[in-house]
């Protein structure tokens, strides 16, 4: 009897041990780099990025330009931050554009770093030096290396061997309390995601060590479930709130954008559904209290609340996009995908010049100038934060932003866990070619102007019958699906929000129509998790009674006329200029939200101009009845908060709003007025006389 009990206990321990070395499966599987390619306007957009600072910085920007091409120690210093970020972005950028030089540079970077791994397993500039070793700088490099292996499978053994060697060292360091500085503390999840990739694809019998390392990273790092808990989460701009952790970096925008991956990654090794709920809660809290109509959230270094003149850092935009893609893969709740699409089509282009040579550090929803601001509205950032240029305020966003478009593209399609079905997650023009389970070779091409058009034309070929899924965004109103030219059917999304289409082998055409209404505020998709109550059916709340307008994924803004001044020209690269923008026209408008119309002006030959994210270039606009009001500046030069119940000082007029991503100076959170009550002379008749700018 005693023996039997003993055996049961031991068996229990063994089972628990095995259970702990397992990882929870993801709801959907990402596809390797090289499966999904951009098409149409999206291909053009990546070409614009490649022709801009992203594709040229290796030639002239000292943080990543390799002047000593024979090697030397140059690459090592890059692995601290800049080179690691650059590599993470340029691997997919180079491959998606089939760009000979960028592919060669990124391959040389990989070779140099791996060839110089030291005998302990360390990768990076601290080899052979007395410098203390901190783990974080390598994490973006790991993401780049994984992407490289996905495309160049012949590199698998070399990269995986180097990573396993590094993991053994990292595990020992963590046991000895080494390697965790303030960045490794806050960004631990990025290493966990890499460890999980090893565990899923190339465990080499090291499952226990991998999971043990995940745990040690978590327990030596920021307790994100506490930071994102209902009680402790900051419900407003944090400079006004005492930090219960005594650590500013826990409320740092980029750390939090990356930290959104922490709880879904934790769930994968704890298998505790509380971690999944905490993951969903973190997303909801962040966007409820700091969300922007652009889809991003406000953090001008630290969380900044809801005011439209506060900043959102470019790095947090691309990191939150990447985290949202990961959250959807683990949890399968489409609200993550809806918001990633909004960030990509609004916040990302809004903060970079149309030719993608200049980027801001911080963007504002209401941005009436982009210049040296003294004083400035950002408590933790400098006066140049919203200038468009090479590296205003800090250089990190220059090297980190280029991951945005490429990773949006590579995460646009997913497979179901059984690899039998394909999911089209982010709507836009793409092509995909892959082998599904049972040797089912499938190719998909999607021709569309979306988000600058409502119709998606799919051509699909498959060796065998299979199921295709497509995300129907929450903002779609009506809409239809037609298979092989048959009658249009209404959408009938299944419980996870995806529209299922059973396809026969051979060629199929699908036509998807995804129209939307103008909405005052964005109605969030209800969470599929019943325990999360932060999401609500109300439209997004904007302070001071102001409103933001949306149609489909796009947020609309009044594009303020501007003058441009060149502040600085890089001595080595004449395209790398710092630009100041000043307003050159009235922007102090209130709008009447009951008098809005949507206009669509189809582009000639169904081809969008290039670059499309520029004033007057997109085919869509919203006209609004507006009146001129008094709206003072808050400083030189930013707006004060939108006035509540403003008085008109001019007659009714009609203003044209454009997609936010096409504007550089803008108002996109408007005070409201009632056009029928505007007592200013001529007010009621003016609407028809103003020509619409289309
Ligand atoms: C990439 O370009 C090379 C020529 O530079 C060509 O041979 C190759 O087929 C291209 N690859 C893809 C995937 O388009
Ligand atoms: C799951 O996580 C919750 C919250 O952290 C904790 O209270 C609970 O004990 C955990 N459950 C298990 C089985 O570990
Ligand atoms: C605007 O004013 C008109 C005229 O007084 C009134 O009938 C209407 O209800 C008002 N609209 C709103 C939204 O308050």
């Amino acid at each position: 009897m005693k023996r039997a009990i003993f055996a049961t206990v031991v068996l229990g321990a063994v089972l628990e041990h095995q259970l702990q070395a397992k990882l929870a499966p993801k709801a959907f599987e990402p596809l390797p780099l090289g499966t999904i390619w951009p098409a149409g306007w999206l291909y053009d957009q990546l070409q614009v990025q490649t022709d801009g600072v992203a594709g040229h910085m290796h030639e002239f920007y000292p943080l990543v330009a390799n002047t000593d091409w024979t090697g030397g120690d140059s690459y090592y210093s890059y692995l601290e931050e800049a080179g690691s970020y650059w590599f993470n972005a340029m691997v997919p950028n180079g491959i998606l554009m089939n760009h000979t030089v960028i592919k060669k540079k990124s391959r040389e970077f990989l070779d140099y770093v791996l060839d110089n791994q030291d005998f302990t397993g360390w990768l990076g500039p601290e080899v052979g030096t007395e410098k203390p070793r901190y783990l974080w700088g390598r994490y973006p490099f790991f993401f780049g290396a994984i992407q490289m292996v996905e495309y160049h499978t012949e590199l698998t053994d070399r990269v995986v061997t180097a990573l396993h060697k590094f993991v053994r060292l990292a595990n020992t360091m963590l046991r000895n309390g080494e390697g965790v500085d303030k960045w490794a503390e806050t960004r631990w999840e990025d290493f966990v995601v890499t460890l999980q990739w090893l565990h899923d694809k190339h465990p080499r019998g090291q499952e226990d060590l991998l999971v043990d390392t995940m745990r040690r990273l978590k327990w030596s790092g920021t307790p994100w479930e506490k930071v994102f808990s209902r009680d402790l989460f900051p419900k407003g701009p944090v400079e006004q709130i005492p930090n219960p952790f005594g650590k500013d970096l826990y409320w740092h925008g980029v750390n939090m954008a990356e930290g959104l991956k922490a709880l879904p990654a934790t769930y994968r090794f704890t298998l505790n559904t509380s971690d999944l709920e905490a993951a969903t809660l973190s997303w909801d809290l962040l966007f409820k209290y700091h969300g922007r109509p652009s889809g991003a959230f406000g953090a001008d270094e630290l969380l900044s609340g809801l005011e439209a003149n506060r900043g959102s850092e470019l790095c947090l935009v691309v990191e939150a996009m990447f985290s949202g893609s990961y959250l959807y893969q683990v949890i399968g709740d489409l609200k993550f995908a809806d918001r990633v699409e909004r960030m990509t089509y609004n916040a990302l282009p809004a903060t970079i010049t149309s030719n993608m040579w200049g980027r801001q550090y911080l963007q504002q929803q209401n941005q009436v100038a982009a210049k040296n601001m003294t004083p400035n509205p950002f408590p933790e950032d400098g006066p140049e934060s919203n200038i468009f240029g090479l590296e205003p305020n800090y250089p990190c966003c220059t090297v980190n932003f280029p991951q945005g478009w490429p990773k949006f593209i590579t995460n646009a399609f997913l497979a179901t866990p059984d690899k039998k079905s394909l999911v089209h997650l982010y709507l836009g023009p793409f092509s995909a070619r892959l082998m599904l389970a049972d040797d089912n070779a499938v190719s998909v091409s999607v021709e569309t102007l979306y988000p600058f058009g409502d119709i998606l034309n799919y051509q699909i070929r498959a060796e065998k019958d299979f199921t295709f899924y497509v995300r129907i965004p929450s903002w779609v109103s009506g809409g239809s699906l037609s298979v092989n030219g048959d009658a249009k059917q209404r959408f009938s999304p299944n419980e996870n929000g995806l529209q299922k289409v059973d396809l026969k082998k051979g060629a199929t055409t699908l036509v998807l129509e995804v129209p939307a209404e103008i909405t005052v505020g964005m109605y969030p998709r209800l969470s599929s998790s019943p325990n999360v109550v932060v999401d609500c059916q109300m439209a997004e709340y904007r302070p001071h009674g102001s409103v933001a307008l949306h149609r489909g994924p796009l947020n609309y803004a009044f594009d303020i006329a501007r003058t441009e001044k060149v502040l600085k020209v890089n001595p080595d690269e004449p395209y790398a200029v710092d630009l100041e923008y000043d307003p050159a026209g009235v922007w102090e408008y209130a709008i009447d939200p009951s008098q809005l119309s949507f206009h669509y002006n189809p582009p000639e030959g169904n081809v969008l101009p290039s670059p499309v994210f520029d004033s007057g270039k997109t085919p869509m606009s919203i006209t609004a009845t507006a009146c001129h009001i008094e709206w003072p500046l808050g400083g030189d030069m930013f707006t004060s908060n939108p006035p509540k119940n403003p008085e008109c000082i001019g007659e009714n007029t009609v203003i044209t709003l454009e997609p936010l991503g096409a504007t550089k100076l803008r108002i996109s959170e408007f005070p409201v007025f009632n056009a029928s009550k505007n007592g200013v002379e001529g007010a009621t008749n003016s609407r028809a006389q103003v020509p619409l700018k289309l």
Side-chain angles (χ1 to χ4, degrees), residues 360 362 364 367-378 382-389 392 563-565 567 578-583 633 635-638 664-665:
Q360 294 177 296
L362 300 176
Q364 300 159 290
Q367 179 165 284
V368 299
K371 64 193 293 186
N372 186 324
M373 293 181 182
T374 309
N376 76 59
F378 321 120
E384 300 195 331
S385 294
N386 85 340
I387 286 174
F388 288 83
T563 56
E564 180 179 298
K565 190 162 122 193
L567 299 173
D578 281 12
L579 298 175
E580 166 177 330
Y581 293 130
D582 286 273
L633 290 172
D636 186 19
M637 283 262 301
F638 58 92
K664 294 300 163 270
L665 299 186

Side-chain angles (χ1 to χ4, degrees), residues 259-328:
L260 291 167
K261 293 192 287 301
L263 297 163
T266 299
Y267 162 71
R268 291 205 65 207
F269 64 84
T270 62
L271 307 156
N272 184 341
T273 51
S274 297
D275 291 319
L276 278 188
E277 276 157 25
T280 296
L281 180 66
S282 62
W283 185 263
D284 291 349
L285 288 169
L286 189 58
F287 292 106
K288 175 170 180 180
Y289 294 106
H290 305 273
R292 291 285 182 268
S294 67
F297 63 92
D300 31 32
E301 221 55 37
L302 308 181
L303 286 183
S304 64
L306 296 175
E307 296 295 358
N309 59 12
R310 294 293 294 270
S312 294
E313 186 182 333
L314 173 50
C315 282
L316 79 78
V317 174
V318 294
E319 293 292 353
M321 285 164 53
F322 182 58
S323 292
S325 291
Y326 179 77
L327 277 153
Y328 181 72

